[in-house]
Amino acid sequence: MHAIGVISSYASWLPVSSATPVITLGEGNTPLLEARGLLPPKFRLWLKWEGANPTGSFKDRGMTLAVSKACEAGARAMVCASTGNTAASAAAYAARAGARAVVVVPQDAVARGKLAQARIYGARIVRVRGNFDAALAAVRQFTSQHPTVALVNSVNPYRLAGQKTAAFEVVDALGHAPDYLALPVGNAGNISAYWRGFVEYHEAGLAATRPHLLGFQAAGAAPLATGAAVDHPETLASAIRIGRPASGHLARQAVAESEGAFYAVTDAEMLAAQGRLARATGIIAELASAAPLAGVLRLAESGELRPGTEVVVVLTGHGLKDPDVLELHGGADEDSISVEAVAEALEQEARR
Ligand SMILES: *Cc1c(COP(=O)(O)O)cnc(C)c1O
């Protein structure tokens, strides 16, 4: 039988045993798509499309492991703080496991689709008057005193262990590690997980090299790019609206070891990249996911990216979850016309 989900696919690389119940929705094994028309032909650009995961973001890779291990340990409820995608993922995997999920979200800052997801999966949604960093502090405090409630944020080491499988998939698909891997950075767990995956494959002799990691933050929430914590993070890219990244130390170490860098991109750059991506490739990635694309486009234009290099951009989540952002792209519907006039409208397009 073929393996379903990242635990079955990469069991020997993960902290699981035959006693671990596998709670999966078939996450992972996402497409690595070559992107033409976004960068000049002297670069080779690949898109790791993580919006293809079961709940629409890479969070599922870590959640399958975190929830499976929590169930193995006898936990009855899963708790997380979230800017949205972790909440949707925790709620889905808890539902799959027959467990409770409680998600704590900042009051005004979560995309509508993500909240709707968590709601229909049956999670209890607690809205807090504060930002993500405050929500995370509250759930960490609570779960440290309640061992039967599992904390499934990326400070849970099983989350990062599951997420490193994305690096394995990139190498398995290309047959080697790319020169650069670019991704958005919020709480900084994912960039740390990718690095671990690349290092493990390299040490096992499955990849001759390791990529330089390029981490992109929003200009209004860029503690790693600037080196200073942000008390009031501001950006439309709600998935990376984080001022005090919990895995900041791991991410700094990963970027240093890989001889990579952190950068900040503006909301306007992200919006432009999100639109360009959709028109050039047919992929609607969420705004945070457009950050690394915006950044790579800028680095290629400025000449900082050497010609001939191979770049993988990780598109971390699906754009359909955030209709309010999609509407910023404009493009209102045309007025309706008579059935007779349809042929004329089509005729005009056919002549273009
Ligand atoms: C969670 C998330 C991020 C940020 O990942 P971190 O591990 O917190 O750095 C980026 N993009 C999307 C779509 C996310 O859901």
Side-chain angles (χ1 to χ4, degrees), residues 62 65-67 69-70 150-161:
L65 199 65
V67 171
K69 293 302 285 187
L151 178 64
V152 295
N153 278 104
S154 57
V155 293
N156 176 327
Y158 297 123
R159 280 279 309 278
L160 298 202

Side-chain angles (χ1 to χ4, degrees), residues 106-201:
Q107 134 180 277
D108 299 318
V110 178
R112 278 192 287 144
K114 298 175 186 178
L115 266 191
Q117 269 184 297
R119 207 175 289 125
I120 195 169
Y121 294 132
R124 164 92 192 269
I125 299 172
V126 177
R127 284 150 58 95
V128 59
R129 285 195 293 273
N131 60 24
F132 170 83
D133 303 293
L136 181 60
V139 296
R140 286 180 93 158
Q141 164 76 17
F142 179 84
T143 50
S144 69
Q145 292 155 6
H146 294 80
T148 61
V149 179
L151 178 64
V152 295
N153 278 104
S154 57
V155 293
N156 176 327
Y158 297 123
R159 280 279 309 278
L160 298 202
Q163 285 170 211
K164 77 184 175 188
T165 60
F168 297 164
E169 288 180 14
V170 168
V171 175
D172 289 345
L174 292 176
H176 55 260
D179 299 309
Y180 292 94
L181 183 104
L183 76 175
V185 175
N187 216 22
N190 206 30
I191 192 168
S192 313
Y194 267 94
W195 184 238
R196 195 173 303 167
F198 286 120
V199 167
E200 287 182 12
Y201 254 32

Side-chain angles (χ1 to χ4, degrees), residues 57-59 85 163 184-190 239-240 286 288-289 316-317:
S57 84
F58 74 83
K59 300 296 199 297
N85 280 330
Q163 285 170 211
V185 175
N187 216 22
N190 206 30
I240 52 173
E286 78 165 82
S289 309
T316 45

